[in-house]
Amino acid sequence: EYRPNKVFPPGETLQETIDAMGMSQSELATRMNVTEKHINSIIKGKASISEDTALRLERVLGIDASFWRNLEHNYRQFLAEASERERLSQKMDLLSKFPIKSMIDRNWITSCNDSINQLQELLSYFQVATMESLDNIWMTQANFRQSPAFKSNPYAVAAWLRQGEILAEGIDWAPYVKKPLREILPELRELSTQTPDEFMPKIQKLCADCGVAVVFLAELPETRVCGVTRWIKKDKALIQLSGRYKRDDHFWFTLFHEIGHIFLHGKREVFIEEENNSTEKPKEVEADNFAAN
């Protein structure tokens, strides 16, 4: 895609046009029924060409209004993009905090030769406009059980959470109802004797019918997350499981732990497990007891 290094303000083209026609700014202003000051501001790039101004230029100069609108649009877009690149250039250190290579290898994002373009790709992945929005929305939004033996990278966790949300978009799940979810608990327990190839699609189907999307997604490096529970909407919950440790007992305990959060805790609450203190938080203890029972 061609991206020019510089775009001239439409006023320069306007000045060249009236010069070629032998028309002064004052005469142009009179013919357009606007002030000379306004014409001068457009020519100097201080004022934009509005829809009304574009139509008046068409009447006076015989050049289609769309030509002036496009000049103005391209110029303002160039200024906005230049401003964004300047803003992002101050955030380059963030690229080293995200597991960019792993995200590219998994086809979550596209590889970019330009670092600023890579940051823009990252923002698009998270569906946010700025890094500040990324911090506000993604860094503290989930209930999750984390290995107490290691410290995780919150940026990697955020990337993993976002991918779970993307995968959940492909699941057709009903609005959440508490009673049906409680009724399928015995059936979920019985699935624990089956192989993953057998029980994974069954878990997804049973839970989706009760308003809970279950996503299975291998962890990213430095995430060290076992499972996550969060509410995508007020009537739709998402459980995201990494399969960490690759053990049946750990997998099933984590699944029921996350279901416990859905039953026991608020839809707007956020629980982030810190290193070595997961069993000290009352609501995590409640979820553990629910899973054990």
Side-chain angles (χ1 to χ4, degrees), residues 26 90 94 110 127-129 140 147 151 189 208 249 278-279 281 286 290:
S26 177
Q90 309 301 316
L94 287 172
T110 301
Q127 287 190 324
V128 294
T140 55
S147 170
K151 187 172 180 62
R189 272 205 307 269
D249 59 337
S278 64
T279 59
K281 295 182 179 181
E286 291 173 0
F290 179 89

Side-chain angles (χ1 to χ4, degrees), residues 10-105:
E12 291 195 18
T13 302
L14 178 57
Q15 182 66 65
E16 292 173 357
T17 301
I18 63 175
D19 285 345
M21 299 175 66
M23 186 183 299
S24 67
Q25 292 184 24
S26 177
E27 182 183 352
L28 177 63
T30 300
R31 289 176 179 275
M32 291 178 60
N33 194 28
V34 297
T35 65
E36 184 176 352
K37 181 180 178 180
H38 182 60
I39 293 298
N40 187 256
S41 294
I42 291 175
I43 288 175
K44 290 184 176 180
K46 295 179 180 179
S48 61
I49 297 177
S50 65
E51 291 287 337
D52 178 66
T53 300
L55 287 172
R56 296 188 186 207
L57 286 171
E58 179 183 79
R59 298 287 185 273
V60 174
L61 303 178
I63 299 175
D64 196 88
S66 63
F67 171 80
W68 301 109
R69 285 196 295 266
N70 289 337
L71 280 181
E72 183 64 40
H73 170 77
N74 293 338
Y75 178 63
R76 298 301 166 183
Q77 182 176 342
F78 174 82
L79 292 181
E81 291 176 352
S83 176
E84 181 185 55
R85 291 182 68 84
E86 174 61 26
R87 186 174 67 250
L88 291 179
S89 69
Q90 309 301 316
K91 304 287 185 179
M92 299 307 298
D93 61 309
L94 287 172
L95 282 178
S96 63
K97 297 180 180 181
F98 286 94
I100 298 296
K101 185 179 184 305
S102 295
M103 295 171 70
I104 292 172
D105 290 343

